[in-house]
Short mmCIF file of all heavy atoms in Angstrom, two decimals:
data_model
loop_
_atom_site.label_atom_id
_atom_site.label_comp_id
_atom_site.label_asym_id
_atom_site.label_seq_id
_atom_site.Cartn_x
_atom_site.Cartn_y
_atom_site.Cartn_z
N VAL A 19 -41.12 59.85 98.47
CA VAL A 19 -40.21 59.77 97.31
C VAL A 19 -40.24 61.07 96.53
O VAL A 19 -39.19 61.59 96.12
CB VAL A 19 -40.63 58.56 96.42
CG1 VAL A 19 -40.01 58.65 95.04
CG2 VAL A 19 -40.23 57.27 97.10
N ALA A 20 -41.44 61.65 96.35
CA ALA A 20 -41.52 62.92 95.60
C ALA A 20 -40.71 64.00 96.32
O ALA A 20 -39.96 64.74 95.71
CB ALA A 20 -42.99 63.33 95.45
N GLU A 21 -40.85 64.03 97.64
CA GLU A 21 -40.15 65.04 98.44
C GLU A 21 -38.63 64.85 98.37
O GLU A 21 -37.88 65.80 98.14
CB GLU A 21 -40.67 64.89 99.90
CG GLU A 21 -40.25 65.96 100.87
CD GLU A 21 -40.50 67.37 100.36
OE1 GLU A 21 -41.54 67.59 99.73
OE2 GLU A 21 -39.61 68.22 100.57
N GLU A 22 -38.22 63.59 98.55
CA GLU A 22 -36.78 63.31 98.55
C GLU A 22 -36.16 63.62 97.18
O GLU A 22 -35.09 64.22 97.09
CB GLU A 22 -36.58 61.82 98.90
CG GLU A 22 -35.25 61.56 99.56
CD GLU A 22 -35.14 60.11 100.01
OE1 GLU A 22 -36.08 59.59 100.64
OE2 GLU A 22 -34.10 59.50 99.71
N LEU A 23 -36.86 63.21 96.13
CA LEU A 23 -36.31 63.44 94.78
C LEU A 23 -36.32 64.92 94.42
O LEU A 23 -35.45 65.39 93.70
CB LEU A 23 -37.08 62.62 93.74
CG LEU A 23 -36.64 61.15 93.66
CD1 LEU A 23 -37.62 60.33 92.83
CD2 LEU A 23 -35.24 61.04 93.07
N ARG A 24 -37.30 65.66 94.93
CA ARG A 24 -37.33 67.11 94.68
C ARG A 24 -36.06 67.74 95.25
O ARG A 24 -35.45 68.60 94.64
CB ARG A 24 -38.59 67.71 95.33
CG ARG A 24 -39.03 69.03 94.69
CD ARG A 24 -40.36 69.52 95.26
NE ARG A 24 -41.49 68.73 94.83
CZ ARG A 24 -42.33 68.07 95.63
NH1 ARG A 24 -42.15 68.11 96.94
NH2 ARG A 24 -43.34 67.38 95.16
N LYS A 25 -35.64 67.22 96.41
CA LYS A 25 -34.40 67.75 97.03
C LYS A 25 -33.19 67.33 96.20
O LYS A 25 -32.28 68.13 95.98
CB LYS A 25 -34.25 67.21 98.46
CG LYS A 25 -35.14 67.93 99.45
CD LYS A 25 -34.76 67.52 100.86
CE LYS A 25 -35.93 67.81 101.79
NZ LYS A 25 -36.16 66.74 102.76
N VAL A 26 -33.17 66.07 95.78
CA VAL A 26 -32.03 65.58 95.00
C VAL A 26 -31.89 66.38 93.70
O VAL A 26 -30.79 66.77 93.31
CB VAL A 26 -32.22 64.07 94.67
CG1 VAL A 26 -31.16 63.58 93.69
CG2 VAL A 26 -32.20 63.23 95.93
N LEU A 27 -33.01 66.65 93.05
CA LEU A 27 -32.95 67.31 91.73
C LEU A 27 -32.74 68.82 91.85
O LEU A 27 -32.19 69.44 90.96
CB LEU A 27 -34.27 67.06 90.95
CG LEU A 27 -34.61 65.60 90.61
CD1 LEU A 27 -35.94 65.53 89.88
CD2 LEU A 27 -33.51 64.95 89.78
N GLY A 28 -33.23 69.37 92.91
CA GLY A 28 -33.19 70.84 93.03
C GLY A 28 -34.43 71.42 92.35
O GLY A 28 -35.00 70.80 91.45
N SER A 29 -34.83 72.63 92.78
CA SER A 29 -36.14 73.12 92.32
C SER A 29 -36.18 73.42 90.83
O SER A 29 -37.20 73.22 90.18
CB SER A 29 -36.58 74.34 93.15
OG SER A 29 -35.55 75.28 93.12
N ARG A 30 -35.06 73.86 90.24
CA ARG A 30 -35.09 74.22 88.83
C ARG A 30 -35.32 72.96 87.96
O ARG A 30 -36.19 72.93 87.10
CB ARG A 30 -33.78 74.91 88.41
CG ARG A 30 -33.97 75.92 87.28
CD ARG A 30 -32.81 76.90 87.25
NE ARG A 30 -31.54 76.19 87.09
CZ ARG A 30 -30.95 75.95 85.91
NH1 ARG A 30 -31.50 76.39 84.81
NH2 ARG A 30 -29.82 75.29 85.83
N ARG A 31 -34.56 71.87 88.29
CA ARG A 31 -34.72 70.63 87.52
C ARG A 31 -36.11 70.03 87.77
O ARG A 31 -36.75 69.53 86.86
CB ARG A 31 -33.65 69.62 87.94
CG ARG A 31 -32.51 69.53 86.93
CD ARG A 31 -31.41 68.72 87.54
NE ARG A 31 -31.42 67.32 87.16
CZ ARG A 31 -30.74 66.35 87.81
NH1 ARG A 31 -30.02 66.66 88.87
NH2 ARG A 31 -30.80 65.11 87.40
N ALA A 32 -36.55 70.09 89.04
CA ALA A 32 -37.87 69.52 89.36
C ALA A 32 -38.96 70.24 88.58
O ALA A 32 -39.90 69.61 88.09
CB ALA A 32 -38.12 69.60 90.87
N ARG A 33 -38.83 71.57 88.44
CA ARG A 33 -39.85 72.32 87.69
C ARG A 33 -39.83 71.92 86.21
O ARG A 33 -40.84 71.79 85.57
CB ARG A 33 -39.61 73.83 87.83
CG ARG A 33 -40.33 74.44 89.03
CD ARG A 33 -40.50 75.95 88.87
NE ARG A 33 -39.27 76.63 88.57
CZ ARG A 33 -38.35 77.00 89.49
NH1 ARG A 33 -38.56 76.74 90.76
NH2 ARG A 33 -37.25 77.62 89.13
N ARG A 34 -38.62 71.69 85.69
CA ARG A 34 -38.52 71.29 84.28
C ARG A 34 -39.17 69.90 84.08
O ARG A 34 -39.95 69.69 83.16
CB ARG A 34 -37.04 71.25 83.85
CG ARG A 34 -36.82 70.85 82.41
CD ARG A 34 -35.37 71.00 81.98
NE ARG A 34 -34.40 70.28 82.81
CZ ARG A 34 -34.17 68.97 82.72
NH1 ARG A 34 -34.82 68.24 81.85
NH2 ARG A 34 -33.27 68.40 83.49
N VAL A 35 -38.88 68.97 85.00
CA VAL A 35 -39.44 67.62 84.87
C VAL A 35 -40.96 67.65 85.02
O VAL A 35 -41.67 66.84 84.40
CB VAL A 35 -38.81 66.67 85.94
CG1 VAL A 35 -39.45 65.29 85.88
CG2 VAL A 35 -37.31 66.55 85.73
N ALA A 36 -41.46 68.59 85.80
CA ALA A 36 -42.92 68.66 86.03
C ALA A 36 -43.70 68.87 84.73
O ALA A 36 -44.90 68.66 84.69
CB ALA A 36 -43.23 69.78 87.02
N LYS A 37 -43.01 69.30 83.66
CA LYS A 37 -43.71 69.49 82.38
C LYS A 37 -43.68 68.23 81.51
O LYS A 37 -44.29 68.19 80.45
CB LYS A 37 -43.03 70.63 81.59
CG LYS A 37 -43.14 71.97 82.28
CD LYS A 37 -42.57 73.07 81.39
CE LYS A 37 -42.44 74.36 82.19
NZ LYS A 37 -41.14 74.98 82.10
N ASP A 38 -42.98 67.19 81.97
CA ASP A 38 -42.84 65.99 81.13
C ASP A 38 -44.14 65.17 81.13
O ASP A 38 -44.81 65.07 82.16
CB ASP A 38 -41.69 65.12 81.68
CG ASP A 38 -41.39 63.96 80.77
OD1 ASP A 38 -40.61 64.16 79.82
OD2 ASP A 38 -41.96 62.87 80.98
N PRO A 39 -44.49 64.57 79.98
CA PRO A 39 -45.73 63.77 79.92
C PRO A 39 -45.79 62.60 80.91
O PRO A 39 -46.88 62.18 81.30
CB PRO A 39 -45.75 63.22 78.48
CG PRO A 39 -44.83 64.08 77.70
CD PRO A 39 -43.84 64.67 78.66
N HIS A 40 -44.63 62.09 81.39
CA HIS A 40 -44.69 61.00 82.38
C HIS A 40 -45.31 61.47 83.70
O HIS A 40 -45.68 60.65 84.53
CB HIS A 40 -43.27 60.46 82.67
CG HIS A 40 -42.71 59.63 81.55
ND1 HIS A 40 -41.94 60.17 80.56
CD2 HIS A 40 -42.81 58.31 81.26
CE1 HIS A 40 -41.57 59.22 79.71
NE2 HIS A 40 -42.09 58.08 80.11
N THR A 41 -45.41 62.77 83.92
CA THR A 41 -46.01 63.26 85.18
C THR A 41 -47.53 63.22 85.14
O THR A 41 -48.18 63.41 86.17
CB THR A 41 -45.61 64.73 85.46
OG1 THR A 41 -46.07 65.55 84.38
CG2 THR A 41 -44.12 64.89 85.64
N ARG A 42 -48.12 63.04 83.95
CA ARG A 42 -49.59 63.06 83.89
C ARG A 42 -50.20 61.93 83.07
O ARG A 42 -51.39 61.74 83.06
CB ARG A 42 -50.10 64.41 83.36
CG ARG A 42 -49.43 64.86 82.11
CD ARG A 42 -49.85 66.27 81.68
NE ARG A 42 -49.17 66.62 80.45
CZ ARG A 42 -47.95 67.12 80.38
NH1 ARG A 42 -47.28 67.36 81.49
NH2 ARG A 42 -47.38 67.37 79.22
N ARG A 43 -49.34 61.15 82.36
CA ARG A 43 -49.87 60.07 81.53
C ARG A 43 -50.66 59.09 82.39
O ARG A 43 -50.24 58.74 83.49
CB ARG A 43 -48.68 59.36 80.88
CG ARG A 43 -49.05 58.32 79.87
CD ARG A 43 -47.81 57.74 79.21
NE ARG A 43 -47.13 58.75 78.42
CZ ARG A 43 -45.80 58.83 78.30
NH1 ARG A 43 -45.02 57.97 78.92
NH2 ARG A 43 -45.26 59.77 77.56
N LYS A 44 -51.83 58.69 81.87
CA LYS A 44 -52.66 57.73 82.61
C LYS A 44 -52.28 56.31 82.22
O LYS A 44 -51.99 56.06 81.04
CB LYS A 44 -54.13 57.94 82.19
CG LYS A 44 -54.98 58.58 83.25
CD LYS A 44 -56.42 58.53 82.84
CE LYS A 44 -57.27 58.58 84.07
NZ LYS A 44 -58.67 58.64 83.83
N PRO A 45 -52.30 55.38 83.15
CA PRO A 45 -52.01 54.00 82.75
C PRO A 45 -53.02 53.50 81.72
O PRO A 45 -54.20 53.80 81.82
CB PRO A 45 -52.13 53.22 84.06
CG PRO A 45 -51.93 54.23 85.12
CD PRO A 45 -52.49 55.51 84.60
#
Side-chain angles (χ1 to χ4, degrees):
V19 164
E21 189 50 39
E22 207 175 313
L23 279 169
R24 203 174 288 120
K25 282 190 201 138
V26 172
L27 298 179
S29 53
R30 210 160 57 93
R31 258 169 96 196
R33 270 201 308 278
R34 180 172 56 78
V35 176
K37 296 185 191 129
D38 187 86
H40 287 92
T41 60
R42 49 186 181 276
R43 187 176 294 145
K44 252 189 155 176

